[in-house]
Amino acid sequence: MKRFIDSFRQKLIVLLIMLFLTLTGCSTINTRWNRAKSANNLQEYHNFLTRYPDSKYTEEALIKIEELKWGFALQKNTQEIYQDYLSMYPSGLHKAEAEKRIESIVWLKAKQNDILSAYKAYISAYPTGQYCNEAQGKIELLLWNQAQTQNTLKLYQDYITNYPEGMHINEANAEIETLIWNESDQTGTKSAYLQYLALYPSGKYIMQANKALAAENAWEGVVKINSEKAYQDFIASYPQSKKVTKAVTSLHALSWASYKQKLLKAETQAKDPEYSLINRLRGRDAVERAYAAMEAINNRYNMNQIMLALIELLPDNTELEYQRGGIGKTSPSAKASAVLIKAGKSAVQPLISYMLYYPRATRSAAFILGEIQDTIATNPLIYVLQHPEIYNSANAAASSLGKLKDKRALPYLLMGIQGKFESLEPSSNKCDTEIGCTHAVIKFGSAATDQLMSIIMSPSTPINSIRNSLFALGKIGVSSESIIQQLEQLLSTTDDYTKKYLVDALDNLRNKEALKKIESQNSDE
């Protein structure tokens, strides 16, 4: 009996010890869990799971950790942090929202970059995404802007292919028609115009195309006839045709040939010393030609008989050669120039014909006409000034018009200052022409003052034209208080380089105005 009681006592003690240990352990887990929840950070939750990996709080601890990491992702709000979350929790509680936020970030980056590749990358990644329609619209707009910027047929056609019902489809078709028309018109051939008409039988350039086609058909007939009248009629009937320049050149060649033939015929019939002089002027020996020119100066023959021979001695640089060589030099061209200048009015008509019909020597003839100073030459010189694409002698024409000082020329010289003839002129001579017109306008004095002020004050005037006009106005020196006040107002709005011209002009005008007041006071006294 005693042995039974001892055994029972021992078992009871063991049971009590186990119960104590169990109650103590549960109390410790609860305490640890409450501490982790109270701290609510990753470190505490990780420590708890490390110590108690299979406790009743394990699942809740894992959820808490996921929520903390999601909160961290929301705080950072970057594509990379959301992707890290999805990598750790591919089936997580916030998977759908994480994917949606990544898509929004990708779309925002695409909009910020605003380039085709970014929008296409978005559509590729999210073919049914919430911003897919907007991305398509952005791509269409970028393609349209690119087409407008580069303005090529291919890009407009690509736009129409990709967006047959696009928002700019009508504009694209209109631009394609314009490009095809411009190409046809630039080519300027009969087949090019026929091609346009075949593509656009009711196009917006139908009138221009039909007119150009009519000109091409007429030109074929003119070339076959090859007469002065045929070219004159063509120029009068089709002044806007691209063949006008060829028609003018051909007309000049025929007219000069005709004029030359008449003079040669008269020459062969001549029986006086002029015939010998003409042959000497046309000889190959430069010194002999120079002596012949000197003889022509000293002997007043019938100048119409020897004018052609003298004119044919003129090179393109007669102005320079005449100024450098002078009458006393032996240069044949200088001698010829001197003879023609001395001949005066009798040389004007032949020089005008040569100037208009033989563009190679237009500059020489224009210079000599300026030296003779007969206003009969005004209109032909204006014509040369207006057609630099034919004569390339606008500067010489402007200089001579300044010497003539015929008021009919002033509007054209002012146009020259504004570069109105530059689009047709070789680029190397544009500046020279503007400067030449500027110096010519100065010779007109007060008659040009109001027009120069209009050019200076106009907001559409090119800056170089304003500078040249200021230079001319200062040199003319005709002033008034109103002019000075208007120019002073420009000081605060013009650039530094132009301001130098403006200051120089104002100084000249103020000095002139002050001198005028002094003279007025002296006359009153």
Side-chain angles (χ1 to χ4, degrees), residues 69-70 72-73 78-90 98 102:
K69 289 187 175 181
W70 174 246
F72 178 74
T78 66
Q79 183 178 349
E80 294 75 15
I81 206 73
Y82 289 128
Q83 287 171 339
D84 288 345
Y85 170 82
L86 290 174
S87 297
M88 289 185 289
Y89 302 100
I102 289 174

Side-chain angles (χ1 to χ4, degrees), residues 126-167:
Y126 303 98
T128 58
Q130 58 182 325
Y131 305 106
C132 209
N133 290 337
E134 189 176 352
Q136 290 286 6
K138 292 285 187 181
I139 291 173
E140 179 185 352
L141 182 61
L142 284 175
L143 287 174
W144 173 248
N145 290 339
Q146 184 181 18
Q148 283 196 307
T149 301
Q150 298 185 25
N151 197 36
T152 65
L153 195 62
K154 182 180 182 306
L155 287 176
Y156 286 123
Q157 288 171 339
D158 287 347
Y159 174 84
I160 291 174
T161 301
N162 292 322
Y163 302 98
E165 296 181 2
M167 64 180 78

Side-chain angles (χ1 to χ4, degrees), residues 201-239:
S202 301
K204 60 181 176 180
Y205 301 103
I206 188 74
M207 290 182 61
Q208 296 96 311
N210 283 325
K211 189 176 292 185
L213 187 60
E216 289 299 314
N217 289 329
W219 177 250
E220 291 178 356
V222 168
V223 171
K224 290 179 181 178
I225 297 171
N226 194 33
S227 69
E228 291 183 52
K229 186 178 186 308
Y231 289 120
Q232 288 170 345
D233 290 345
F234 179 84
I235 294 169
S237 300
Y238 305 99

